[in-house]
Amino acid sequence: MNSEHALVLTCDDPNWAATGSPQRLRAALAGIGLPGGVAMFEVFAPHPGHARLALFGDGPPPFTIVEFRAPAPEPLRRLAGDPRLRRALREAGPPSGWMIGLFRVVSEALPQPKLQPTATATSATEVPLALLVHYYGPTDDPGAFAAHYVAHHPAILARLPRVREVLCYLPAGPVASGLPQDPTVIRNEVRFDSMDDLLAALRSSVMTELRADTKAFPRFGRSTHYPMLRG
């Protein structure tokens, strides 16, 4: 497994849908400029076809998610405390509803050979859809839960038909930002070229293995599943 780090900001304020704009948010964040050591950022918006994912019954998705990536956590910790980041969030939409988390991102190797991109993806690295899964407490031991999950579940996810990437986000400690801390005990991201590919994967026989593995998880509270567009 390869790993790097991510600073993730999630807004679940329902006012975002009325007054926020992913495009305005991207522009405001781009105006900050990437601090030294921060490699890139992405803005995730709800997939317009999210209602098609009725399997999990989790309701409306988060209204937007921002993710900064870096090889090491220190630049992301500095960015979390940068007042320009908070100002950019205020400029782009409702200032409330944001939470922040620092994570170590672990990438699961996919079976070979890799698939060729479909017509909806212009290259193998441009994969627009991410199914984001968040796991919440209470757990008896959050670290043990995350370790068990990473040791078993991603390898099964990697066998889903037409999957492009499987990523696990392990909490890497609190950050000083003035925002509420992300309460998830682990996050998971499974990427596909399209909603059709995701739905086909969820109808595959691999889902039987995933459900069986989920029953073996250490105790946790709940999980949510949201399809988001990367950009």
Side-chain angles (χ1 to χ4, degrees):
M1 290 186 178
N2 298 320
S3 68
E4 54 182 339
H5 289 78
L7 185 70
V8 180
L9 297 104
T10 302
C11 180
D12 58 5
D13 186 338
N15 293 319
W16 177 269
T19 62
S21 163
Q23 293 77 20
R24 191 161 70 243
L25 178 58
R26 289 188 193 97
L29 293 170
I32 298 175
L34 289 177
V38 178
M40 52 85 76
F41 78 88
E42 291 184 293
V43 174
F44 294 70
H47 192 284
H50 67 81
R52 296 175 64 193
L53 193 69
L55 174 65
F56 302 105
D58 291 327
F63 292 94
T64 192
I65 294 174
V66 177
E67 180 177 318
F68 293 88
R69 288 287 192 92
E74 289 77 13
L76 297 172
R77 292 186 183 278
R78 292 194 294 270
L79 175 61
D82 191 327
R84 295 177 299 170
L85 177 60
R86 295 287 296 276
R87 188 161 55 246
L89 298 179
R90 289 195 299 270
E91 290 173 0
S96 64
W98 287 98
M99 60 184 176
I100 192 168
L102 180 65
F103 299 87
R104 182 168 67 90
V105 185
V106 178
S107 176
E108 177 71 22
L110 299 183
Q112 298 295 325
K114 288 189 176 180
L115 299 169
Q116 294 299 312
T118 63
T120 55
T122 57
S123 77
T125 58
E126 295 178 0
V127 183
L129 187 149
L131 177 64
L132 302 182
V133 184
H134 299 75
Y135 291 86
Y136 298 91
T139 63
D140 298 321
D141 184 335
F145 178 88
H148 177 94
Y149 183 96
V150 171
H152 300 278
H153 214 59
I156 305 174
L157 291 167
R159 298 202 300 273
L160 286 167
R162 301 212 67 84
V163 67
R164 296 297 185 184
E165 289 186 86
V166 176
L167 305 170
C168 292
Y169 291 66
L170 286 71
V175 290
S177 67
L179 294 172
Q181 298 293 306
D182 190 318
T184 51
V185 294
I186 194 168
R187 302 172 74 246
N188 176 260
E189 184 176 329
V190 188
R191 295 177 176 176
F192 292 87
D193 288 342
S194 68
M195 178 64 79
D196 287 341
D197 283 353
L198 168 59
L199 293 175
L202 296 178
R203 291 191 295 266
S204 73
S205 60
V206 178
M207 286 299 295
T208 301
E209 298 179 64
L210 289 170
R211 293 188 185 99
D213 188 58
T214 300
K215 292 179 180 178
F217 285 177
R219 184 179 71 93
F220 69 98
R222 63 186 180 95
S223 61
T224 58
H225 310 71
Y226 298 121
M228 307 287 284
L229 282 178
R230 303 169 60 210

